Amino acid sequence: MKRKIKTIPKVIIIFLVSMISFLPFYYTIVMATHSTDQVLMGLEFIPGSYLLENLKTVLNSEYFVAFGNSIFVSVVSTLLSMLVSAAAGYGMAAYQFKGKKILYNFVLLTMMVPSTLGMIGYMQEMRMFHLGGSLWPLIFIWIPNGFGVFWMTQYLKNSLQAELIECARLDGCGEIRIFFSIVMPCIKPAIITLCLLIFLWSWNSYLLPLVMINRADNYTIPLFIQTLGDEHKADIAAQITGLLIAIIPLIAAFAVFSKDFIRGLTEGAVKG
């Protein structure tokens, strides 16, 4: 009985923090049910009746073209970044070679440099390869991911048994088969955690698409949403409605993989 009484304050605190965290999301939903003029008039906590009009504005635009572009960019970026990071992390954790420590420290240093510093050089590089204005620069930027290499290296150092790799080699397994058949299943929580993070970062990326994309048919969601409205006034309510639709893939991904995501984070924190 005493234990139950002691847990009551914790439950209350968790409930209050959860409500405070949910409040901005609820307010976003409410704003999507009002017109732009009503949104600009002030804070409303009661849903309105303008949701269908906002949905019509969004659906009658090229919103789902931008939605498809974002899906393509985020999924391909996530898969390529995950494969490269896992392979590099496996190499760092399982192999001994000259200059390994220097190379690993260099990877850590890349995490300390703001990505905006290299944006102009990256833009010029993409134009040199005649990729400017396409979706590929938004994908290539995520492939050499310093955090991903660091994350996979630390996870593999603590979860991968060297004896398992040696046994596979004695049985005649090649390095590629070892990587995909043994290493990848062993680090599934780390893979899912990294994939969710890369997907989230790529999906929400705004500055790089703003710099690289100059064609409306290649707009991603963050770029396209700001175009909703007419030439005289932005339709803020429709933009908020578009944002709500854009949140659905993120919520679905975290709902499906939340257990593995939390497991990956906790195992990495405890073992690392």
Side-chain angles (χ1 to χ4, degrees):
M1 185 65 181
K2 291 183 179 180
R3 290 183 179 180
K4 292 183 179 181
I5 295 175
K6 289 181 179 179
T7 59
I8 291 177
K10 296 180 181 179
V11 172
I12 294 175
I13 292 173
I14 292 173
F15 176 77
L16 291 176
V17 171
S18 300
M19 292 301 297
I20 293 172
S21 301
F22 179 74
L23 186 61
F25 184 68
Y26 172 76
Y27 185 50
T28 303
I29 296 174
V30 170
M31 285 193 293
T33 64
H34 290 82
S35 66
T36 297
D37 293 336
Q38 291 172 334
V39 170
L40 294 175
M41 286 178 62
L43 191 66
E44 290 283 349
F45 285 96
I46 301 175
S49 58
Y50 210 78
L51 178 61
L52 291 179
E53 294 297 325
N54 291 329
L55 284 174
K56 287 180 182 178
T57 302
V58 173
L59 297 179
N60 289 335
S61 66
E62 299 295 325
Y63 179 83
F64 284 103
V65 174
F67 194 91
N69 291 337
S70 287
I71 288 289
F72 173 74
V73 169
S74 298
V75 170
V76 177
S77 299
T78 299
L79 292 176
L80 292 178
S81 180
M82 179 271 294
L83 285 173
V84 172
S85 298
Y90 173 59
M92 290 287 186
Y95 294 96
Q96 298 298 327
F97 53 89
K98 188 176 181 180
K100 172 182 173 180
K101 187 174 182 181
I102 295 175
L103 182 60
Y104 185 65
N105 288 334
F106 175 76
V107 171
L108 296 181
L109 285 173
T110 62
M111 297 169 57
M112 303 176 189
V113 180
S115 59
T116 51
L117 291 180
M119 189 166 293
I120 295 177
Y122 181 71
M123 180 177 63
Q124 293 176 342
E125 181 183 9
M126 291 296 102
R127 286 180 177 176
M128 184 178 66
F129 288 107
H130 304 288
L131 294 174
S134 69
L135 295 175
W136 292 107
L138 311 185
I139 295 172
F140 292 151
I141 193 71
W142 295 105
I143 297 178
N145 192 287
F147 171 78
V149 176
F150 166 74
W151 172 257
M152 289 297 182
T153 302
Q154 293 301 112
Y155 199 94
L156 280 162
K157 282 182 178 179
N158 295 287
S159 62
L160 188 63
Q161 299 296 325
E163 294 81 4
L164 186 63
I165 302 299
E166 290 299 327
C167 290
R169 288 172 181 162
L170 291 175
D171 288 339
C173 286
E175 294 300 322
I176 295 179
R177 184 178 178 185
I178 290 174
F179 176 71
F180 284 103
S181 300
I182 297 176
V183 176
M184 296 288 276
C186 288
I187 59 172
K188 180 183 174 183
I191 289 174
I192 292 177
T193 301
L194 181 63
C195 284
L196 287 175
L197 291 174
I198 298 297
F199 186 88
L200 174 64
W201 296 337
S202 177
W203 186 267
N204 291 332
S205 178
Y206 176 76
L207 182 58
L208 183 63
L210 180 64
V211 173
M212 296 300 306
I213 302 300
N214 51 22
R215 293 169 47 191
D217 57 339
N218 282 337
Y219 278 0
T220 55
I221 288 293
L223 278 183
F224 180 81
I225 284 177
Q226 69 172 355
T227 67
L228 288 174
D230 54 40
E231 58 182 2
H232 301 293
K233 184 176 69 172
D235 194 338
I236 298 176
Q239 292 176 354
I240 294 172
T241 306
L243 285 174
L244 284 177
I245 299 174
I247 293 173
I248 293 175
L250 301 179
I251 295 176
F254 277 94
V256 173
F257 299 110
S258 59
K259 291 183 179 179
D260 292 293
F261 179 73
I262 296 172
R263 181 184 169 194
L265 290 177
T266 53
E267 286 186 3
V270 173
K271 293 183 179 181

